[in-house]
Amino acid sequence: MRFRLTPRETSFYELFATAADNVLSGSKLLMELLGADAAARVEIGERMRAAEHAGDDVTHAIFHQLNSSFVTPFDREDIYRLASLLDDIMDFMEEAVDLVVLYKIDELPKGVESQIEVLGRAAELTAEAMPRLRTMRELNEYWIEVNRLENQADQVHRKLLAQLFSGGFEAIEVMKLKQIVDVLEEAADAFESVANTVETIVVKES
């Protein structure tokens, strides 16, 4: 058993839970994007930017707490990495929405909906998992499932690329759409990195 002379700073748990809830909100905005008309997409983009800014605020709060805390609930580098990765997810999702709006994409290719559904499920699992960091219990199923989802996202991404390069799209359209599906894939990778970081934290603390 470890003995500590100074109590651990526990506000990190609430901040990580808030960051994950914000990521979940972002994933729902991504889902709204599907089938939305141009005007609705602009409005969704504005709400996504607001969510991304809210995510930045939480990330900065975590960093501030990290710099002002003498004793932390787990390793400082893991706190920094987890906060940064959650922030990355929001950045990627916001970028995807922004690209759809800026490029005035009329119709997203078949398969993007599957990408977004995978991200939505990963966001749900992440939001459920963050509060459990306090006890470090019942988290193994979380990282196993997120890793499975990332493998699924890889398959969807490869199929989308094959579709884009099949000759059915104009070259300029291929460039625009590839940028969007690539950044959605980066979001899926970031979810996996969050899950792997949680696994690392749990192993260190066990």
Side-chain angles (χ1 to χ4, degrees), residues 12 16 62-63 66 72-84 197 201:
F12 289 107
F16 281 126
I62 293 172
F63 291 163
L66 188 61
T72 56
F74 42 89
D75 285 352
R76 289 176 178 273
E77 58 267 29
D78 291 329
I79 291 174
Y80 182 88
R81 177 168 172 75
L82 186 55
S84 297
T197 299
I201 291 166

Side-chain angles (χ1 to χ4, degrees), residues 24-154:
L24 180 58
S25 296
S27 73
K28 291 177 180 177
L29 288 172
L30 263 182
M31 186 60 72
E32 281 188 47
L33 193 72
L34 297 171
D37 60 24
R41 285 177 175 178
V42 170
E43 190 269 337
I44 292 168
E46 291 171 353
R47 284 192 284 150
M48 182 64 96
R49 273 191 294 278
E52 193 273 332
H53 291 325
D56 286 342
D57 290 342
V58 177
T59 303
H60 294 151
I62 293 172
F63 291 163
H64 175 76
Q65 192 65 55
L66 188 61
N67 291 330
S68 60
S69 298
F70 181 67
V71 177
T72 56
F74 42 89
D75 285 352
R76 289 176 178 273
E77 58 267 29
D78 291 329
I79 291 174
Y80 182 88
R81 177 168 172 75
L82 186 55
S84 297
L85 288 169
L86 287 167
D87 189 60
D88 286 346
I89 295 170
M90 280 302 304
D91 288 345
F92 290 136
M93 292 195 296
E94 190 273 332
E95 183 180 352
V97 172
D98 201 33
L99 288 172
V100 170
V101 173
L102 290 174
Y103 288 156
K104 297 181 171 64
I105 303 298
D106 292 328
E107 186 177 354
L108 291 165
K110 185 178 179 181
V112 170
E113 181 175 357
S114 295
Q115 274 192 306
I116 292 174
E117 286 175 352
V118 168
L119 294 178
R121 181 57 183 148
E124 289 173 356
L125 290 168
T126 303
E128 292 168 3
M130 287 302 112
R132 296 203 291 271
L133 279 175
R134 188 182 293 272
T135 61
M136 301 285 177
R137 294 176 182 173
E138 299 179 0
L139 283 163
N140 60 316
E141 290 184 6
Y142 152 68
W143 63 66
I144 290 170
E145 179 62 11
V146 171
N147 275 269
R148 188 195 67 78
L149 286 169
E150 198 280 328
N151 290 334
Q152 183 179 336
D154 283 343

